[in-house]
Amino acid sequence: MKKLMITLSIFTLVLGFSLSAAAVEIPSEVTLIKNVNIFDGKNKKLLMGYDVLVVKNLIKKIDKAIKLANTYEVDVKTGGYKEVSGILPNDLPGYGDQVVTVYEPEKMIKKEVKVNVIEGEGRTLMPGLIDAHWHTTYASTPATVLLMDKGDMAEVAIRSMTAAKETLLRGFTTVRDPGGNPFSIKKLIDTGEYPGHRILPSGPFMSPTAGHADHYGLNETPRDKSTTNYWERNMMSMTSDGVDEVRLRTRDILKFGATQIKICTGGGVSSLYDPLDVFEYSMDEIKAIVEEATNYNTYVHSHVMNDKGVRKTVEAGVMCIEHGFFASKETLELMKEKGVWLSPQPVAWEDMAWSEPVSAAKFREVVDAVDRLYPLAKEVGVNIAFGTDQLLDASKAHQQSDYLVRLGKWFSPYEALKIATSENARLLEMSGPRHPYQEGPLGVVREGAYADLIIVDGNPLENLELVGDPGKNFVLIMKDGRIYKNTLEK
């Protein structure tokens, strides 16, 4: 047996603990997708009858009639830390079978792997979809758990991990998560241990007391600021007040792994103590948050709907407005001037039912504003993102696909799909070095890009409704070079 360097302490060896499994080898595979018409995420004209070669997790080549042998040679890294059973130094007493972590020198080797050939037969290949406002840990967790304390983080994690696979199978290969604690879910998805979408997490969304993230009851007010509630301690939401505290909490959230910071500077529908017309946080507080995020080479996005709040938030340096339903033309023009993004949702009255009359009345105002906002934003030319903001009801998660189809009311199929792919990817790039996926671009089909791909049975540039039924019309879904759905071989 090859001699290995033992890197554990004697204590760890004796107890049989493992320090790392980071170097577990993931088999590499090459996929050749033949004869597809490519929507590349940017251009309206399809590339007709092309082949796409995927090596590992990236698109290696796009060309006509790519010819390959049955195997393909790839570079594979070997060595590093590995778990090994039954190996103990000679001078240690035996305690039965042991699992230890050992180290082999790392090196690159050539490896022959099989080529997986998929016949597209003239179907449409497009980039994986991106949702710029998807709450991984809120979308499928009931309100009774999060707002009435009838559950805990273990339940949230189980529900959310299961739902992440369903999101992926709707064709959404990447999301920007604007509030919650998806960090462990992201970790397990990224290592390939569980299926799910890529995540750019904002961590807990943050507001002042009486703001959108304040879930304390009236009987808890005024509260002892030296303590936090269960959901704050578990990084699901956060209240913070004053320049010093918002700086501290921003640093906490960045330390946890946030790729951008989400704050609330205006009232929300689901929260009871902040009318839609209010402006939350002082300018000094917002500027302090922006400064901390900028120091970390990323940006701030903010939940705010009313025009005054949107304008002041933009003036304070926030680079993406979530919702913004009541923004005026003048404010949208300011956003365009400063390169700020608008991330609204095409909501309709039938989408949500509200038991609280206050929330129902707020939601009616929002729905009435949607038809005005989208055409106005398109006319002004502000950067527009696509996000869905599904909350607190797993049975409504399918609306993620419905919302994309609904964009067709104001945009052509090409415009809608470009927003949900390459444009959303451009927004995500504002995270700069905090962006966790740096090997290639997202949201496009081009050489060197991540192999996040969908094959559609039909042409969604002619019929946007095809994306509304992914179970039927998405015949192949690939993320990071790995196939998660393929009905072409049946």
Side-chain angles (χ1 to χ4, degrees):
M1 183 180 293
K2 185 174 181 178
K3 186 175 181 180
L4 301 171
M5 186 195 318
I6 305 297
T7 62
L8 302 174
S9 67
I10 291 178
F11 175 78
T12 304
L13 280 168
V14 171
L15 293 183
F17 291 162
S18 167
L19 290 180
S20 171
V24 174
E25 184 177 328
I26 299 175
S28 299
E29 188 174 72
V30 172
T31 299
L32 177 61
I33 302 173
K34 298 189 68 64
N35 187 22
V36 286
N37 303 327
I38 300 173
F39 167 57
D40 66 3
K42 288 192 171 184
N43 296 296
K44 187 174 183 178
K45 185 177 180 180
L46 294 177
L47 298 173
M48 304 297 289
Y50 273 73
D51 297 350
V52 177
L53 177 64
V54 174
V55 177
K56 295 185 179 180
N57 63 333
L58 302 177
I59 297 172
K60 178 73 172 179
K61 187 176 182 181
I62 300 173
D63 206 346
K64 295 257 189 179
I66 297 174
K67 289 181 170 43
L68 287 180
N70 291 330
T71 61
Y72 190 93
E73 192 174 75
V74 297
D75 293 322
V76 178
K77 181 186 287 187
T78 64
Y81 291 99
K82 296 183 179 180
E83 290 184 352
V84 179
S85 299
I87 298 178
L88 283 173
N90 293 332
D91 57 348
L92 287 177
Y95 291 91
D97 291 339
Q98 306 293 313
V99 177
V100 298
T101 297
V102 298
Y103 180 80
E104 284 185 324
E106 294 182 358
K107 62 180 179 180
M108 298 298 295
I109 63 170
K110 299 290 185 181
K111 180 180 177 182
E112 288 287 328
V113 297
K114 73 182 185 72
V115 178
N116 180 26
V117 179
I118 295 171
E119 297 291 344
E121 298 179 338
R123 295 178 176 88
T124 305
L125 182 139
M126 60 176 285
L129 299 167
I130 300 173
D131 190 328
H133 196 120
W134 182 258
H135 293 275
T136 305
T137 49
Y138 279 88
S140 296
T141 304
T144 52
V145 173
L146 292 169
L147 302 180
M148 300 174 65
D149 290 335
K150 292 187 176 180
D152 57 16
M153 277 304 297
E155 180 177 349
V156 171
I158 292 167
R159 290 180 181 274
S160 303
M161 190 80 257
T162 303
K165 178 181 179 181
E166 296 169 1
T167 305
L168 175 61
L169 292 179
R170 287 191 291 273
F172 288 89
T173 53
T174 301
V175 308
R176 183 185 60 164
D177 190 313
N181 182 347
F183 296 106
S184 292
I185 294 168
K186 175 187 182 311
K187 177 177 123 180
L188 295 175
I189 291 172
D190 286 350
T191 59
E193 295 174 73
Y194 288 88
H197 48 76
R198 301 181 189 272
I199 302 173
L200 280 80
S202 301
F205 61 101
M206 185 166 59
S207 85
T209 297
H212 188 51
D214 184 353
H215 298 136
Y216 290 90
L218 289 176
N219 291 339
E220 299 173 280
T221 306
R223 67 183 180 89
D224 181 359
K225 288 288 286 183
S226 65
T227 63
T228 54
N229 66 31
Y230 177 81
W231 298 113
E232 288 182 324
R233 292 194 302 275
N234 282 280
M235 304 296 280
M236 289 290 285
S237 62
M238 190 76 67
T239 53
S240 57
D241 299 280
V243 169
D244 290 343
E245 188 175 14
V246 299
R247 284 190 187 277
L248 172 63
R249 296 306 177 205
T250 301
R251 292 169 181 172
D252 285 341
I253 295 167
L254 290 166
K255 178 181 177 181
F256 228 75
T259 55
Q260 60 281 322
I261 294 294
K262 163 77 176 296
I263 63 173
C264 305
T265 54
V269 172
S270 60
S271 43
L272 299 179
Y273 308 118
D274 56 341
L276 296 182
D277 61 281
V278 303
F279 177 59
E280 300 173 6
Y281 276 132
S282 68
M283 293 293 281
D284 286 342
E285 288 169 316
I286 301 172
K287 288 178 180 179
I289 296 166
V290 169
E291 181 181 16
E292 293 300 327
T294 302
N295 289 344
Y296 222 71
N297 294 316
T298 187
Y299 71 100
V300 177
H301 59 132
S302 180
H303 163 111
V304 56
M305 301 187 192
N306 66 78
D307 184 58
K308 178 183 73 173
V310 172
R311 175 170 284 273
K312 294 183 75 172
T313 300
V314 170
E315 290 171 346
V318 169
M319 291 305 296
C320 181
I321 297 297
E322 305 301 321
H323 315 306
F325 294 112
F326 308 109
S328 66
K329 184 176 182 180
E330 292 74 22
T331 297
L332 292 171
E333 288 172 341
L334 175 66
M335 292 173 62
K336 179 183 179 182
E337 176 187 331
K338 292 182 174 291
V340 176
W341 285 77
L342 176 68
S343 176
Q345 295 72 44
V347 292
W349 178 249
E350 62 270 18
D351 293 342
M352 299 180 188
W354 300 94
S355 59
E356 286 285 348
V358 171
S359 292
K362 290 180 179 181
F363 189 59
R364 172 57 72 187
E365 289 186 62
V366 168
V367 169
D368 291 345
V370 169
D371 258 331
R372 180 199 66 89
L373 177 65
Y374 276 102
L376 184 58
K378 184 177 180 180
E379 175 191 338
V380 169
V382 66
N383 293 319
I384 300 174
F386 169 73
T388 54
D389 197 22
Q390 296 296 309
L391 293 170
L392 308 176
D393 188 347
S395 71
K396 299 280 190 177
H398 67 88
Q399 291 178 346
Q400 187 177 35
S401 303
D402 299 338
Y403 278 23
L404 183 51
V405 174
R406 204 174 287 171
L407 282 188
K409 185 174 182 179
W410 309 284
F411 300 94
S412 70
Y414 160 69
E415 291 169 331
L417 292 173
K418 182 181 180 183
I419 290 171
T421 54
S422 64
E423 285 297 286
N424 271 359
R426 194 162 64 89
L427 166 60
L428 303 188
E429 288 168 3
M430 290 179 62
S431 293
R434 303 288 78 77
H435 194 309
Y437 308 108
Q438 298 277 350
E439 293 180 66
L442 296 169
V444 292
V445 179
R446 77 177 199 212
E447 293 178 0
Y450 278 108
D452 294 1
L453 303 170
I454 302 168
I455 295 181
V456 186
D457 194 6
N459 183 358
L461 294 185
E462 294 178 350
N463 180 9
L464 186 59
E465 291 190 3
L466 289 171
V467 303
D469 190 354
K472 176 183 177 182
N473 300 317
F474 291 179
V475 294
L476 181 136
I477 297 172
M478 172 185 283
K479 192 205 78 177
D480 209 40
R482 180 177 295 185
I483 295 171
Y484 289 89
K485 176 183 179 181
N486 182 8
T487 61
L488 292 172
E489 296 178 349
K490 291 184 178 181

